[in-house]
Amino acid sequence: MNLILDVAWTHVRSRARHTGVAVAGVATGVGFSIMMAALMQGSQDDFVRMLVNALPHIAVSDERRSPPLQPAEQAFDAAEFHGLKPEVRRRGIKNPLATMAALEAWVPGAVAPSVKVQAIIRYGNRDTGASVIGIDPRREANVSELPTQMRQGTLASLYRATNAIVLGDRLAEKIGARSGANLTVQTSEGTCINAQVVAFYHSGIRQVDESTAYVLARTGQILAQQTGLINELRVRVNDPMIADKVARRIESDTGYKSVAWQEAHEDLLNAFVIRNVIMYTVVGAILLVASFGIYNIISTITHEKARDIAIMKSLGLKERTVRTIFVVEALIIGLVGAVAGFLLGYLLCLALGSLEFKSPFMDTNRLPLAYNPWHYIIAAAVALLSSFAAGYAPARKAAHVHPVEIIRGAT
Amino acid sequence: MSEAPAAATAPFAGASMPLIEARKVTRILPGVVPTTLVHNIDLEVREKEFVAITGPSGSGKSSLLYLLGLLDIPTSGEVLIKGRSTSRMDEDELAVTRLSMLGFVFQFHFLLPEFTILDNVALPMRALGALSADAMRERAAELLSSLGLADHVDKWPDQLSGGQRQRVAVARALANDPTVILADEPTGSLDSKSSDQVFEVLREIVNRGKTVVAVTHDLGLAERMDRRIHLIDGEIANDGASVGDLA
């Protein structure tokens, strides 16, 4: 074995108890870091999955991000307007079928049309505001998880009645509507229809389940008082992570406002960033505390081994060699601690994953955990880095030991 | 004893020069009251000499040995090894010079307690890295055998007597086949029988062409060496005189 490794290993091995405590410190830090990372990322992934699946990945609406330029603005560098009355344009996406066909030609996924109307749903003496979305049930299956989220009935039930409506389970609960109930849907334009509840759905996102209802596209067009109206294209991409890029291109190609799920939930995603910063800070703090243990043990060894260091230096070992010996000792502790921490972290994850929770606010009854090798790699890297940092100072001090002072002291 | 590792004496040349030379060497320990350990020492040590450094306690014997052995750096003056000044050498160069050209034996054996006898002897060879692992072990075993310790190679230092440990320390000092062995009170902690054994080992080393410089307070032992340097208050009071003359 290499001399440095041999001496380092002999030192840490001969102080089994001290070494064990330091290794346990690192292992605890690494283990809990892995567990925390698995828990945080697991819950984040689960939440994002829910967000992504609850709605289409991209919603292309008939709005524009900014109002169209006035002729004067196009002609002059600066123009000021007073009492400008915006032009009333016909609502909806122009030539929706042609637009859809154009998108389907390059979008890696599927496109479905919809009509979105704000309405008041009234049942008995209870009424509530809701988004009523007119869809094509056959195409909808390609762009959202709605067919799999159905409770009591299927999406095809929309074809069963003249003005069939599918309610979110919380919305139905709020107004007290059951399957088969006849309710009134009234828009701000004054259109009012009677609709029959044919099914419920449950997306898992309270806000959606409480305020969204689905009807057939033609029913939506009746509510919007515009035949053939399509005011939203719903797009699902094969890889949800590229939704923002696809949305930008759609917007640039069509001019219509295209909102990817990342943009729609930007505040939540930003919250995840903060959450991750907090998580890694806590993980770093845990490993920092563990590194104090390493610092302690290496300092103790260098103190106890002062005479041996003096002897090695008097024999002719270079300062660098002596320093490396003690840094390697710290790294050995860090490495063994990291490996033990892997096992501890994995077992903690298994234990957490086996716990069962029953909560009315959660669909799942087990903690979502992510088993990601990067958690292990990062935890080990931080452990080794902190081990190195913890070992370096005492190692440097040991390397600077003046052999004569120790030898004089010993004699 | 076996042949030298090839790289042992490579950095130096010039056999006719003194092996170790001290020129106006002074060592002062800094402090509120600076302490002069040795003052204005001029000294040459040549090949095959068996030199005793004697003197009363606090006369600077060990300090002079540490300066000659490059373990300490003079406050003024310089130490030359084979004609080459060491005053401008950095820590690494000094370490390599100690490793390849000088062997140390201390009053207390100073063996590493967590290593076997064989590993202790092999340590300087491993640090120098001039031999293969097998060759190192072979040479370490030979050295121990030549010092009567063939049966103890796999033992731990605390399993040996004081005299045996000191012989192991001598074997370790010889590991890289150094030009000079520097011994600081090598018999200081031993009984008379063990002292004689260690002295005979040192004599044998000189007979085989090495140079030995030993600090001792034992005037009887010093009398049996070839040259005696007597220090008083950090200065050479006499160089070459017999113990009788010093008394």
Side-chain angles (χ1 to χ4, degrees), chain A residues 3 66 102 154 172 195 200 210 212 237-238 266-267 290 332 339 360 363:
Chain A
L3 176 65
S66 50
T154 63
F200 305 106
E210 245 177 23
T212 307
V237 283
N238 298 334
E266 201 175 3
D267 50 346
I332 288 173
V339 173
D363 290 341

Side-chain angles (χ1 to χ4, degrees), chain A residues 244-265:
Chain A
D244 50 349
K245 284 182 191 163
V246 175
R248 277 198 294 276
R249 184 167 164 198
I250 292 174
E251 189 162 320
S252 135
D253 284 4
T254 64
Y256 291 118
K257 185 177 175 183
S258 239
V259 178
W261 67 269
Q262 288 102 324
E263 187 185 347
H265 301 296

